[in-house]
Amino acid sequence: MPDSLQGQVTAGSLVEVPFREKALTGVVLELTAEPGCEESRVKDILRLLEAEPFFGRKTLMLVEWMVSFYGATWRDTLFAVVPAPVLAQVQRPGKPRGPRRSTLPASIHYPAPSLLDEQRQALKAIRPGEKVLLYGVTGSGKTEVYLHAVEAALQSGRQAIVMVPEVALTPQAVERYRGRLGDTVGVLHSGLTAAERREQWWRLRRGELSVALGTRSAVFAPLQDPALFILDEEHDHSYKQDQTPRYHARQVAVRRAAQTGAAVVLGSATPSLESFYLAQTGYYKLLELSARVTGRKPPPVELVDMRRRPRQLLSQPLVERMRETLARDEQVVLLLNRRGFSSYLQCGLCGHVHKCPHCSISLTFHKQARHLRCHYCGHTTAPPDLCQACSSPELSYRGGGTERLESELATALPGVELARLDRDTTSRAGGHAEILGRFARKEARVLLGTQMVAKGLDFPDVTLVGVINADGGLNLPDFRASERTFQLLTQVAGRAGRGQLEGHVLVQTLDPENACLVSAAQHDYAGFYARELELRRQVGYPPFCRLVRLVVSGTQAEEVEHEALDVARILSARVAQAELLGPAPCPLEKVRGRWRWHLLGRTAKVQELVQGARTYFDQKANNPRSDLQWSVDPDPQDLL
Ligand code: ADP
Ligand code: ZN
Ligand code: ZN
């Protein structure tokens, strides 16, 4: 540190440093008298970028914990904590920091209802330092409890962070929070423009806003002294980041809350098995809201047996119900958790399925675009006329996605306005809001889509929900397949009958006796939980152990396999406390031209395994002749 900067640079400062021939931005992690290497090789800091230290002491401690717990680099972790547009700008100082006035519309004030008994008890339990699991069906008044808890935090002069899973969900959430809490609510999610994100972040940082409402990354909102962290729909897997640092917002929230003695509130109608188990064993305090505020029972769910017509997307009972519903001027939501027109192209003679050349999954036919597309890497190709394997012309399109459902609906219900919500129709900015807006204004009468339609939507005239292929997710090679299906069905069923009108749910399935589906149809979380927990106990999966997933990938299949075997051998010698399962090819064996193998470590000591793997991988990562990559994922949510 040059003398001119003495006293100005401290831990957390952003500085410009010489690196090779360039000047790069660096973060000062600590001040020390010991040079890290030979004294003559240490270069001077060029200049200080921000007068105030950019990262506070608590943030640096949190980052340090994430680096070691998630086995990520400091760089990736620091970047995850601050939104990219903010970082990009502080690296070019002197630029204005965006508009000071909020660009969001002003809010209308909504009065608060007085709380019901169970709500009041829940609110009382949300105290500093407490960790709470709020378990209550949709419509049982959880959000109302959150709002009161946030108000209490603000009254004590502190701040609050509220997380919701999806950007799609956020417009309604924003309206509700701002309607109650006024212009003190800042919004942080990836759907905002860079300028909006920067503006919101700085206003939170300067203390002009006291509530941060957003998706996963809002857990890092730059508030001085948060008293409350809320994760709504805590079971949602979007709370886990799927690239390094592979953090879970729930874990970070608990960690960050401990720094300021804040309360953590997890809310869900279908808590994750892990959280519910931790509540039963005392780590979280379990609070229940047992009924809908309206007193209405959850909608009846009927399973429709599709075994006699497996190729059909729409059953007769569902079409009839839809006609009746539409005739009463009510609305319909349909869930089919798969995009595109048909799932795959199969040869009628030899059975060959056309797969992506870069990934090990079948290509999906998109009718409007007239091509086959890979949903992992985006590879597209014209549909072939002949089978690639046997040159037979007998190719047929099998399975079905939202695009085909849309076209079958147009035939079954001529003249009915449809709105389709999936990643293909929402890829444009504002796509979401536009589609949901049309449905809200009843310009569209049927909303169909992927899991996006299951989450959070609140339209009072929706009285019928149909699930097209409930089995779709059940057979994935992932131990959470049943749990995910149960959660999805419960959530989508919750879209029906939210207003004054009674709702109905029809679930089409090839497996009507399946225990998971039957529990979902009976709204029986307790039954599902007990059975699933017992299965997990028998096979020794979470919550009865912790897992760490290690993935090796590379373009050379043989090299990847050898490396995976090496990793298994070396780690089982080095990390005595872990039981390693595998190695085996990942269920998705190849993605974007890279072959993938994985290992699952089962252990009570996650840290030890993560560190052991990281140390070994870092040693190997410097070989310029190989393109192998390794990843470490503690408490993995994705096993494909
Ligand atoms: P959840 O978050 O569990 O789905 P909400 O908090 O959104 O439930 O409540 C469902 C509906 O009931 C909302 O329209 C809400 O305004 C209303 N509500 C919640 N609590 C009360 C209450 N104590 N008195 C009157 N209405 C309430
Ligand atoms: Zn063939
Ligand atoms: Zn692909």
PDB file of all heavy atoms in Angstrom, residues 346-354 386-395, ligand 2:
ATOM      1  N   GLN A 346     -39.713 -40.160 -32.977  1.00  0.00           N
ATOM      2  CA  GLN A 346     -39.296 -41.556 -32.852  1.00  0.00           C
ATOM      3  C   GLN A 346     -39.571 -42.314 -34.150  1.00  0.00           C
ATOM      4  O   GLN A 346     -40.574 -42.078 -34.820  1.00  0.00           O
ATOM      5  CB  GLN A 346     -40.051 -42.219 -31.695  1.00  0.00           C
ATOM      6  CG  GLN A 346     -39.521 -43.613 -31.378  1.00  0.00           C
ATOM      7  CD  GLN A 346     -40.090 -44.158 -30.087  1.00  0.00           C
ATOM      8  OE1 GLN A 346     -41.246 -43.888 -29.758  1.00  0.00           O
ATOM      9  NE2 GLN A 346     -39.287 -44.919 -29.358  1.00  0.00           N
ATOM     10  N   CYS A 347     -38.680 -43.235 -34.465  1.00  0.00           N
ATOM     11  CA  CYS A 347     -38.841 -44.061 -35.658  1.00  0.00           C
ATOM     12  C   CYS A 347     -39.834 -45.181 -35.354  1.00  0.00           C
ATOM     13  O   CYS A 347     -39.684 -45.903 -34.364  1.00  0.00           O
ATOM     14  CB  CYS A 347     -37.504 -44.653 -36.084  1.00  0.00           C
ATOM     15  SG  CYS A 347     -37.659 -45.852 -37.421  1.00  0.00           S
ATOM     16  N   GLY A 348     -40.843 -45.340 -36.213  1.00  0.00           N
ATOM     17  CA  GLY A 348     -41.848 -46.366 -36.001  1.00  0.00           C
ATOM     18  C   GLY A 348     -41.320 -47.761 -36.302  1.00  0.00           C
ATOM     19  O   GLY A 348     -41.894 -48.760 -35.874  1.00  0.00           O
ATOM     20  N   LEU A 349     -40.219 -47.843 -37.018  1.00  0.00           N
ATOM     21  CA  LEU A 349     -39.680 -49.143 -37.403  1.00  0.00           C
ATOM     22  C   LEU A 349     -38.652 -49.653 -36.391  1.00  0.00           C
ATOM     23  O   LEU A 349     -38.786 -50.738 -35.842  1.00  0.00           O
ATOM     24  CB  LEU A 349     -39.032 -49.024 -38.787  1.00  0.00           C
ATOM     25  CG  LEU A 349     -38.919 -50.320 -39.581  1.00  0.00           C
ATOM     26  CD1 LEU A 349     -40.298 -50.892 -39.887  1.00  0.00           C
ATOM     27  CD2 LEU A 349     -38.150 -50.061 -40.882  1.00  0.00           C
ATOM     28  N   CYS A 350     -37.633 -48.837 -36.097  1.00  0.00           N
ATOM     29  CA  CYS A 350     -36.563 -49.314 -35.219  1.00  0.00           C
ATOM     30  C   CYS A 350     -36.625 -48.694 -33.826  1.00  0.00           C
ATOM     31  O   CYS A 350     -35.868 -49.082 -32.938  1.00  0.00           O
ATOM     32  CB  CYS A 350     -35.191 -49.071 -35.841  1.00  0.00           C
ATOM     33  SG  CYS A 350     -34.613 -47.370 -35.725  1.00  0.00           S
ATOM     34  N   GLY A 351     -37.497 -47.716 -33.610  1.00  0.00           N
ATOM     35  CA  GLY A 351     -37.646 -47.141 -32.273  1.00  0.00           C
ATOM     36  C   GLY A 351     -36.633 -46.065 -31.926  1.00  0.00           C
ATOM     37  O   GLY A 351     -36.665 -45.501 -30.834  1.00  0.00           O
ATOM     38  N   HIS A 352     -35.744 -45.769 -32.879  1.00  0.00           N
ATOM     39  CA  HIS A 352     -34.712 -44.754 -32.623  1.00  0.00           C
ATOM     40  C   HIS A 352     -35.349 -43.395 -32.276  1.00  0.00           C
ATOM     41  O   HIS A 352     -36.280 -42.948 -32.921  1.00  0.00           O
ATOM     42  CB  HIS A 352     -33.841 -44.605 -33.874  1.00  0.00           C
ATOM     43  CG  HIS A 352     -32.806 -43.536 -33.767  1.00  0.00           C
ATOM     44  ND1 HIS A 352     -31.634 -43.697 -33.078  1.00  0.00           N
ATOM     45  CD2 HIS A 352     -32.787 -42.263 -34.254  1.00  0.00           C
ATOM     46  CE1 HIS A 352     -30.926 -42.581 -33.141  1.00  0.00           C
ATOM     47  NE2 HIS A 352     -31.606 -41.693 -33.855  1.00  0.00           N
ATOM     48  N   VAL A 353     -34.827 -42.765 -31.222  1.00  0.00           N
ATOM     49  CA  VAL A 353     -35.310 -41.442 -30.818  1.00  0.00           C
ATOM     50  C   VAL A 353     -34.239 -40.423 -31.187  1.00  0.00           C
ATOM     51  O   VAL A 353     -33.053 -40.631 -30.925  1.00  0.00           O
ATOM     52  CB  VAL A 353     -35.591 -41.395 -29.302  1.00  0.00           C
ATOM     53  CG1 VAL A 353     -35.884 -39.970 -28.857  1.00  0.00           C
ATOM     54  CG2 VAL A 353     -36.762 -42.301 -28.949  1.00  0.00           C
ATOM     55  N   HIS A 354     -34.650 -39.327 -31.816  1.00  0.00           N
ATOM     56  CA  HIS A 354     -33.676 -38.335 -32.254  1.00  0.00           C
ATOM     57  C   HIS A 354     -33.194 -37.486 -31.089  1.00  0.00           C
ATOM     58  O   HIS A 354     -33.987 -36.810 -30.440  1.00  0.00           O
ATOM     59  CB  HIS A 354     -34.275 -37.480 -33.372  1.00  0.00           C
ATOM     60  CG  HIS A 354     -34.333 -38.238 -34.652  1.00  0.00           C
ATOM     61  ND1 HIS A 354     -33.617 -37.894 -35.760  1.00  0.00           N
ATOM     62  CD2 HIS A 354     -34.988 -39.390 -34.954  1.00  0.00           C
ATOM     63  CE1 HIS A 354     -33.832 -38.778 -36.714  1.00  0.00           C
ATOM     64  NE2 HIS A 354     -34.676 -39.704 -36.252  1.00  0.00           N
ATOM     65  N   LEU A 386     -36.065 -38.888 -42.879  1.00  0.00           N
ATOM     66  CA  LEU A 386     -35.806 -40.309 -42.691  1.00  0.00           C
ATOM     67  C   LEU A 386     -35.144 -40.545 -41.336  1.00  0.00           C
ATOM     68  O   LEU A 386     -34.445 -39.676 -40.830  1.00  0.00           O
ATOM     69  CB  LEU A 386     -34.857 -40.820 -43.790  1.00  0.00           C
ATOM     70  CG  LEU A 386     -35.298 -40.594 -45.235  1.00  0.00           C
ATOM     71  CD1 LEU A 386     -34.202 -41.044 -46.198  1.00  0.00           C
ATOM     72  CD2 LEU A 386     -36.618 -41.329 -45.519  1.00  0.00           C
ATOM     73  N   CYS A 387     -35.366 -41.744 -40.789  1.00  0.00           N
ATOM     74  CA  CYS A 387     -34.729 -42.109 -39.528  1.00  0.00           C
ATOM     75  C   CYS A 387     -33.202 -42.088 -39.685  1.00  0.00           C
ATOM     76  O   CYS A 387     -32.660 -42.626 -40.649  1.00  0.00           O
ATOM     77  CB  CYS A 387     -35.182 -43.500 -39.091  1.00  0.00           C
ATOM     78  SG  CYS A 387     -34.277 -44.150 -37.687  1.00  0.00           S
ATOM     79  N   GLN A 388     -32.525 -41.480 -38.724  1.00  0.00           N
ATOM     80  CA  GLN A 388     -31.066 -41.404 -38.782  1.00  0.00           C
ATOM     81  C   GLN A 388     -30.429 -42.782 -38.635  1.00  0.00           C
ATOM     82  O   GLN A 388     -29.319 -43.007 -39.079  1.00  0.00           O
ATOM     83  CB  GLN A 388     -30.534 -40.514 -37.646  1.00  0.00           C
ATOM     84  CG  GLN A 388     -30.853 -39.049 -37.833  1.00  0.00           C
ATOM     85  CD  GLN A 388     -30.567 -38.262 -36.575  1.00  0.00           C
ATOM     86  OE1 GLN A 388     -30.658 -38.784 -35.468  1.00  0.00           O
ATOM     87  NE2 GLN A 388     -30.233 -36.993 -36.739  1.00  0.00           N
ATOM     88  N   ALA A 389     -31.149 -43.702 -37.973  1.00  0.00           N
ATOM     89  CA  ALA A 389     -30.560 -45.013 -37.697  1.00  0.00           C
ATOM     90  C   ALA A 389     -30.821 -46.000 -38.827  1.00  0.00           C
ATOM     91  O   ALA A 389     -29.922 -46.697 -39.278  1.00  0.00           O
ATOM     92  CB  ALA A 389     -31.094 -45.560 -36.375  1.00  0.00           C
ATOM     93  N   CYS A 390     -32.083 -46.080 -39.321  1.00  0.00           N
ATOM     94  CA  CYS A 390     -32.412 -47.130 -40.288  1.00  0.00           C
ATOM     95  C   CYS A 390     -32.980 -46.585 -41.599  1.00  0.00           C
ATOM     96  O   CYS A 390     -33.400 -47.351 -42.457  1.00  0.00           O
ATOM     97  CB  CYS A 390     -33.392 -48.122 -39.665  1.00  0.00           C
ATOM     98  SG  CYS A 390     -35.069 -47.488 -39.526  1.00  0.00           S
ATOM     99  N   SER A 391     -32.994 -45.245 -41.728  1.00  0.00           N
ATOM    100  CA  SER A 391     -33.483 -44.603 -42.953  1.00  0.00           C
ATOM    101  C   SER A 391     -34.947 -44.868 -43.280  1.00  0.00           C
ATOM    102  O   SER A 391     -35.402 -44.604 -44.388  1.00  0.00           O
ATOM    103  CB  SER A 391     -32.629 -44.997 -44.170  1.00  0.00           C
ATOM    104  OG  SER A 391     -31.298 -44.611 -43.937  1.00  0.00           O
ATOM    105  N   SER A 392     -35.685 -45.390 -42.323  1.00  0.00           N
ATOM    106  CA  SER A 392     -37.113 -45.576 -42.567  1.00  0.00           C
ATOM    107  C   SER A 392     -37.815 -44.217 -42.549  1.00  0.00           C
ATOM    108  O   SER A 392     -37.435 -43.321 -41.806  1.00  0.00           O
ATOM    109  CB  SER A 392     -37.699 -46.474 -41.461  1.00  0.00           C
ATOM    110  OG  SER A 392     -39.043 -46.131 -41.223  1.00  0.00           O
ATOM    111  N   PRO A 393     -38.839 -44.046 -43.405  1.00  0.00           N
ATOM    112  CA  PRO A 393     -39.570 -42.776 -43.385  1.00  0.00           C
ATOM    113  C   PRO A 393     -40.672 -42.719 -42.322  1.00  0.00           C
ATOM    114  O   PRO A 393     -41.355 -41.707 -42.201  1.00  0.00           O
ATOM    115  CB  PRO A 393     -40.162 -42.709 -44.800  1.00  0.00           C
ATOM    116  CG  PRO A 393     -40.334 -44.132 -45.192  1.00  0.00           C
ATOM    117  CD  PRO A 393     -39.288 -44.935 -44.468  1.00  0.00           C
ATOM    118  N   GLU A 394     -40.821 -43.817 -41.568  1.00  0.00           N
ATOM    119  CA  GLU A 394     -41.935 -43.874 -40.610  1.00  0.00           C
ATOM    120  C   GLU A 394     -41.639 -43.146 -39.300  1.00  0.00           C
ATOM    121  O   GLU A 394     -41.605 -43.749 -38.242  1.00  0.00           O
ATOM    122  CB  GLU A 394     -42.251 -45.335 -40.272  1.00  0.00           C
ATOM    123  CG  GLU A 394     -42.972 -46.062 -41.369  1.00  0.00           C
ATOM    124  CD  GLU A 394     -43.193 -47.506 -40.990  1.00  0.00           C
ATOM    125  OE1 GLU A 394     -43.676 -47.732 -39.863  1.00  0.00           O
ATOM    126  OE2 GLU A 394     -42.858 -48.398 -41.789  1.00  0.00           O
ATOM    127  N   LEU A 395     -41.426 -41.852 -39.377  1.00  0.00           N
ATOM    128  CA  LEU A 395     -41.129 -41.111 -38.158  1.00  0.00           C
ATOM    129  C   LEU A 395     -42.418 -40.582 -37.555  1.00  0.00           C
ATOM    130  O   LEU A 395     -43.302 -40.121 -38.269  1.00  0.00           O
ATOM    131  CB  LEU A 395     -40.203 -39.940 -38.483  1.00  0.00           C
ATOM    132  CG  LEU A 395     -38.841 -40.341 -39.048  1.00  0.00           C
ATOM    133  CD1 LEU A 395     -38.020 -39.096 -39.366  1.00  0.00           C
ATOM    134  CD2 LEU A 395     -38.109 -41.215 -38.047  1.00  0.00           C
TER     135      LEU A 395
HETATM  136 ZN    ZN B   2     -35.338 -46.238 -37.545  1.00  0.00          ZN
END
